[in-house]
């Protein structure tokens, strides 16, 4: 079985500040890890994915995440927040390529001017 | 890239009626589609896995007679909410997996834009 825990249901940052969204996973096998972003009343857009290649993964819109096996973490970061980054972010895990995803509870990111 | 289309985006219906939501893969064939449900301010919960040409696999606690899933072709899966009640009001999202070898673009699920159901 697999699961993810997102620490902090709400994160608020100032425009231009560092964004850090935390995700810890639990998996019985080497996991595939994903970060998705959801804007209000829309579906999910993939930001980035980890599939056992490089541990530092770069995604779209300036986001990146680092897979740390020793910490069972896959935190999402962005050096400088933009107002358009305000959205709900979901961390997800799957056990195999293209298989069902298990989502975390989500983190609502607010960016203050 | 792969595109998944959901229709309708919004639907309002009366209690007791049935509503059908369509999920289409527009530029690829999807042997497997997943249906998720999302309550306000909450995460996505997997309802069922839809496989083309076979019966859907439902998650524990999901009523298969209430949430009918049909995956009759490689590009279309439908979710029918039968005898809908206000507690069925939710945001329903489908995702599709494109067939292909590992480490290709096929190892990522593509999501539809979601369908918001409101039952009065």
């Amino acid at each position: 079985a697999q699961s993810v825990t997102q620490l902090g249901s709400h994160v608020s940052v100032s425009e231009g500040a560092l964004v850090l969204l935390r995700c810890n996973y639990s998996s019985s096998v080497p996991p595939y890890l994903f970060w998705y972003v959801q804007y209000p009343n829309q579906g999910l857009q993939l930001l980035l994915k980890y599939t056992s290649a490089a541990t530092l993964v770069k995604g779209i819109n300036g986001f990146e995440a680092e897979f740390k096996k020793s910490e069972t973490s896959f935190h999402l970061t962005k050096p400088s927040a933009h107002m358009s980054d305000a959205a709900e972010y979901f961390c997800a895990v799957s056990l195999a390529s293209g298989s069902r995803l298990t989502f975390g509870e989500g983190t609502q990111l607010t960016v203050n001017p | 890239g792969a595109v998944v289309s959901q229709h309708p985006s919004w639907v309002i219906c009366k209690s007791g009626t049935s509503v059908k939501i369509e999920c289409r893969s527009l530029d690829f064939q999807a042997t497997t589609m997943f249906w998720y449900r999302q309550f306000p301010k909450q995460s996505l919960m997997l309802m069922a896995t839809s496989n083309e040409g076979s019966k859907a696999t439902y998650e524990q606690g999901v009523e298969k007679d209430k949430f009918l899933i049909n995956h009759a072709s490689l590009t279309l899966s439908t979710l029918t909410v039968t005898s809908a009640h206000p507690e069925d009001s939710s945001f329903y999202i489908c995702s599709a997996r494109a067939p292909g070898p590992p480490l290709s673009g096929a190892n990522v699920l593509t999501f539809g834009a979601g369908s918001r159901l409101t039952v009065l």
Side-chain angles (χ1 to χ4, degrees):
Chain A
Q2 70 274 17
S3 66
V4 289
T5 302
Q6 291 183 239
L7 301 177
S9 58
H10 290 84
V11 171
S12 183
V13 300
S14 298
E15 190 174 18
L18 171 71
V19 175
L20 171 61
L21 304 182
R22 300 178 186 273
C23 173
N24 287 88
Y25 70 90
S26 173
S27 176
S28 56
V29 299
Y32 292 80
L33 293 161
F34 307 82
W35 275 99
Y36 285 88
V37 60
Q38 184 182 36
Y39 297 97
N41 295 310
Q42 294 188 28
L44 276 69
Q45 179 183 10
L46 179 68
L47 284 176
L48 48 81
K49 61 182 179 181
Y50 167 76
T51 56
S52 75
T55 56
L56 181 62
V57 181
K58 294 186 183 297
I60 62 172
N61 302 339
F63 285 94
E64 63 181 38
E66 185 172 9
F67 173 72
K68 292 187 176 181
K69 184 178 179 180
S70 61
E71 299 178 7
T72 61
S73 69
F74 190 58
H75 302 330
L76 180 71
T77 61
K78 181 174 180 177
S80 177
H82 192 272
M83 297 297 289
S84 61
D85 294 326
E88 185 86 17
Y89 291 80
F90 292 97
C91 182
V93 62
S94 71
L95 297 183
S97 138
S99 70
R100 52 184 287 175
L101 291 170
T102 299
F103 287 89
E105 293 299 316
T107 298
Q108 179 68 47
L109 174 66
T110 300
V111 182
N112 302 307
Chain B
V3 177
V4 173
S5 173
Q6 264 187 259
H7 178 79
S9 301
W10 299 80
V11 57
I12 300 174
C13 70
K14 293 181 179 180
S15 184
T17 61
S18 295
V19 174
K20 180 183 287 187
I21 299 170
E22 294 185 347
C23 179
R24 294 182 183 272
S25 55
L26 296 186
D27 50 0
F28 66 98
Q29 294 182 326
T31 55
T32 302
M33 292 184 175
F34 301 91
W35 285 95
Y36 290 85
R37 182 175 183 177
Q38 185 181 31
F39 290 104
K41 306 296 184 182
Q42 294 188 27
S43 188
L44 284 75
M45 300 300 296
L46 181 65
M47 298 175 65
T49 301
S50 169
N51 296 299
E52 187 268 337
S54 64
K55 292 184 178 180
T57 302
Y58 290 82
E59 295 300 303
Q60 188 175 7
V62 177
E63 300 175 62
K64 61 181 180 181
D65 294 331
K66 180 164 190 63
F67 298 101
L68 300 179
I69 291 174
N70 184 283
H71 195 155
S73 77
L74 286 171
T75 59
L76 174 64
S77 176
T78 60
L79 168 67
T80 301
V81 183
T82 63
S83 187
H85 288 90
E87 57 266 29
D88 299 323
S89 298
S90 190
F91 195 53
Y92 294 89
I93 305 176
C94 73
S95 67
R97 178 179 69 190
L103 301 183
S104 70
N107 62 348
V108 173
L109 299 181
T110 300
F111 285 80
S115 300
R116 181 161 303 283
L117 169 64
T118 301
V119 185
L120 302 177

